[in-house]
């Protein structure tokens, strides 16, 4: 088991003003024993004997997995074995180097996501995953940054994990998946949000997370196309909860990044929330502003999977309504729907807006100088 080294923020190598920032890169374990070096003997033995105990309907299985191959690009298979995303050299060759990625944010989706029913095991795994990111990806590759993976259902342990990493500039966000047990605005989670805000970390909300049933209000969908889209519903729930529970009036510096959920739907969500607030604002009298104000000031959106209108130029219109300063490029490497930065946006985008989209917004949110 390794201890995290505290690194002063000013000692981390800064990036140049050119190049691309990628806010969604998925590292993967080389094999089922990949976390063993970062776990105590107790938890190594536990995993070998009992495995993980999550909330999924089928243990150890994703009900919809991108049709085949667990959602990964087939060409991302490392030549020396292991799953896509587990080989740093191949990540450099396929993405970091050819696309001039000056910094990329790791979004680990290994382990138990938001946690399983055994919270002690979940906490041990989250700490191990955080140590693993540093040792096997960030330390050998200065362009990569790590996410602080926490278990939301144990706020005390989650805050301790944030505090442990707070002075380490290799970590740039607190990662919480959209599938929390309850909406994130609920007070049980407030200490986690407070700790993130106190240390200047944004909350990176990536799709997925443990769940006890179907994601939709009407049960299980029939097709992968449905499942792929219904992932965004949880993101909308989280946005509404955080706004209406008054989180941002209490924590005005907190920022939330919605990752891999699309973004065009946020326009209508803001309009509809404002309409309801004007009619039923007495239910939430402590809100100081219309809901769309908080949506515009505190939320950011990754571009993958970006909406693609039949008329490509309409993308400029959508991005204008969301706000060019609210959008950040994401590749989703090494998944099948990877967005190559050279071809992701078919619209003619101005150089000023490209700079915001591909680099400057992410530098500001993640505090990369």
């Amino acid at each position: 088991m390794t201890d995290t080294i505290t690194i002063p923020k000013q000692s981390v190598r800064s990036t140049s003003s050119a190049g691309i920032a990628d806010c969604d890169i998925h590292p993967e374990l080389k094999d089922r024993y990949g976390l063993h070096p970062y776990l105590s003997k107790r938890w190594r033995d536990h995993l070998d004997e009992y495995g993980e105990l999550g909330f999924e309907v089928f243990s150890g299985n994703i009900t919809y997995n991108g049709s085949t191959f667990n959602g990964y690009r087939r060409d991302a298979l490392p030549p020396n074995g292991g799953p896509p995303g587990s080989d740093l050299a191949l990540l450099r060759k396929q993405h970091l180097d050819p696309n001039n990625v000056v910094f990329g944010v790791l979004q680990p989706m290994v382990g138990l996501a938001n946690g399983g029913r055994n919270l002690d095991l979940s906490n041990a795994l989250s700490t191990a995953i955080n140590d693993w990111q540093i040792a096997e990806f960030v330390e050998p590759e200065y362009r990569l940054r790590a996410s602080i993976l926490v278990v939301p259902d144990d706020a005390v342990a989650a805050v301790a994990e944030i505090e442990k990493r707070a002075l380490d500039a290799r970590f740039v966000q607190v990662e919480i998946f959209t599938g929390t047990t309850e909406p994130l605005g609920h007070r049980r989670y407030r200490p986690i949000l407070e700790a993130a805000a106190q240390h200047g970390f944004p909350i990176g909300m990536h799709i997925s997370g443990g769940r006890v049933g179907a994601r939709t209000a009407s049960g299980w969908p029939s097709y992968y196309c449905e499942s792929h889209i219904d992932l965004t519903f949880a993101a909308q729930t989280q946005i509404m909860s955080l706004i209406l529970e008054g989180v941002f009036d209490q924590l005005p510096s907190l920022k939330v990044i919605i990752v891999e959920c699309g973004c065009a739907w946020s326009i209508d969500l803001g309009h509809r929330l404002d309409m309801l607030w004007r009619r039923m604002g007495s239910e939430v009298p402590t809100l100081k502003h219309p809901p769309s104000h908080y949506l515009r000031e505190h939320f950011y959106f990754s571009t993958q999977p970006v909406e693609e209108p039949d008329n490509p130029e309409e993308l400029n219109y959508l991005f204008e309504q969301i706000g060019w300063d609210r959008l950040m490029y994401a590749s989703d490497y090494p998944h099948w729907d990877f967005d190559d930065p050279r071809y992701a946006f078919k619209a003619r985008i101005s150089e000023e807006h490209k700079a915001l989209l591909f680099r400057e917004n992410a530098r500001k949110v993640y505090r990369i100088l």
Side-chain angles (χ1 to χ4, degrees):
M1 196 169 180
T2 59
D3 292 325
T4 298
I5 300 172
T6 297
I7 296 183
K9 293 187 181 297
Q10 61 269 24
S11 72
V12 173
R13 182 173 177 176
S14 62
T15 60
S16 66
S17 59
I20 288 174
D22 184 352
C23 69
D24 189 20
I25 296 175
H26 295 295
E28 186 55 77
L29 299 173
K30 288 182 171 63
D31 54 45
R32 66 185 294 262
Y33 302 105
L35 286 180
H36 274 40
Y38 310 99
L39 290 165
S40 68
K41 184 177 185 301
R42 172 193 174 184
W43 295 118
R44 293 198 302 270
D45 292 345
H46 181 102
L47 289 174
D48 290 342
E49 182 73 18
Y50 303 105
E52 299 172 358
L53 188 63
F55 291 107
E56 293 288 349
V57 175
F58 302 105
S59 178
N61 181 58
I62 301 175
T63 309
Y64 294 102
N65 63 2
S67 298
T68 58
F69 205 53
N70 207 32
Y72 290 115
R73 294 168 44 173
R74 291 185 181 276
D75 69 341
L77 271 171
N80 298 323
S86 64
D87 189 293
L88 179 57
L90 189 58
L91 168 60
R92 290 181 178 127
K93 179 180 179 181
Q94 288 190 324
H95 183 42
L96 300 183
D97 294 341
N99 291 321
N100 192 22
V101 177
V102 292
F103 75 87
V105 178
L106 299 176
Q107 304 270 3
M109 299 188 72
V110 299
L112 285 171
N114 281 330
R117 286 168 279 180
N118 184 335
L119 288 178
D120 289 335
L121 171 61
S122 298
N123 288 324
L125 285 171
S126 71
T127 297
I129 291 166
N130 294 335
D131 290 338
W132 164 78
Q133 289 179 79
I134 295 298
E136 303 198 19
F137 288 90
V138 180
E139 190 61 30
E141 176 50 73
Y142 73 92
R143 290 173 289 186
L144 296 177
R145 301 292 190 274
S147 298
I148 306 173
L149 185 65
V150 298
V151 180
D153 282 346
D154 190 340
V156 173
V159 169
E161 188 68 17
I162 295 170
E163 297 287 347
K164 178 181 179 181
R165 316 289 179 171
L167 296 180
D168 189 339
R170 299 171 297 183
F171 290 94
V172 295
Q173 70 175 2
V174 174
E175 183 176 11
I176 298 175
F177 294 95
T178 55
T180 48
T181 304
E182 294 181 288
L184 198 60
H186 287 197
R187 293 180 186 179
R188 63 182 292 194
Y189 303 119
R190 201 64 52 90
I192 303 172
L193 305 181
E194 290 172 350
Q198 177 185 349
H199 294 291
F201 289 120
I203 301 293
M205 295 209 74
H206 195 286
I207 56 169
S208 189
R211 54 191 179 275
V212 296
R215 281 190 298 261
T216 78
S218 302
W220 293 101
S222 300
Y223 304 106
Y224 176 65
C225 291
E226 296 174 88
S227 182
H228 199 262
I229 292 176
D230 72 37
L231 288 165
T232 67
F233 301 159
Q236 297 176 53
T237 297
Q238 299 290 10
I239 289 174
M240 290 187 289
S241 175
L242 289 165
I243 291 174
L244 297 176
E245 295 278 358
V247 168
F248 301 111
D249 285 329
Q250 180 185 348
L251 303 172
S253 66
L254 183 65
K255 302 182 187 304
V256 179
I257 306 162
I258 304 298
V259 184
E260 206 173 322
C261 295
C263 55
W265 48 262
S266 68
I267 301 169
D268 177 68
L269 181 65
H271 290 318
R272 187 161 188 176
L273 281 175
D274 281 358
M275 176 191 70
L276 294 173
W277 176 76
R278 285 191 293 268
R279 295 178 180 179
M280 297 182 288
S282 60
E283 187 183 22
V284 284
T286 59
L287 285 190
K288 298 178 180 178
H289 306 283
S292 63
H293 169 85
Y294 301 99
L295 183 55
R296 181 67 178 80
E297 294 298 317
H298 295 275
F299 288 90
Y300 295 78
F301 297 88
S302 79
T303 59
Q304 197 286 330
V306 67
E307 287 79 5
E308 300 183 60
D310 290 337
N311 178 359
E313 298 311 313
E314 290 178 2
L315 194 63
N316 278 293
Y317 175 71
L318 292 176
F319 283 1
E320 189 71 37
Q321 290 188 78
I322 296 167
W324 285 100
D325 59 338
R326 302 287 112 180
L327 297 157
M328 301 190 298
Y329 165 74
S331 71
D332 194 31
Y333 182 91
H335 290 158
W336 67 267
D337 47 356
F338 166 80
D339 269 353
D340 189 309
R342 295 168 294 181
Y343 312 112
F345 310 106
K346 298 180 176 63
R348 291 170 291 183
I349 299 175
S350 71
E351 291 303 313
E352 176 186 2
H353 289 157
K354 283 182 181 178
L356 293 173
L357 186 66
F358 281 111
R359 183 178 59 256
E360 298 307 320
N361 294 336
R363 290 179 63 183
K364 178 180 178 182
V365 174
Y366 294 121
R367 301 178 301 163
I368 304 292
L369 303 177

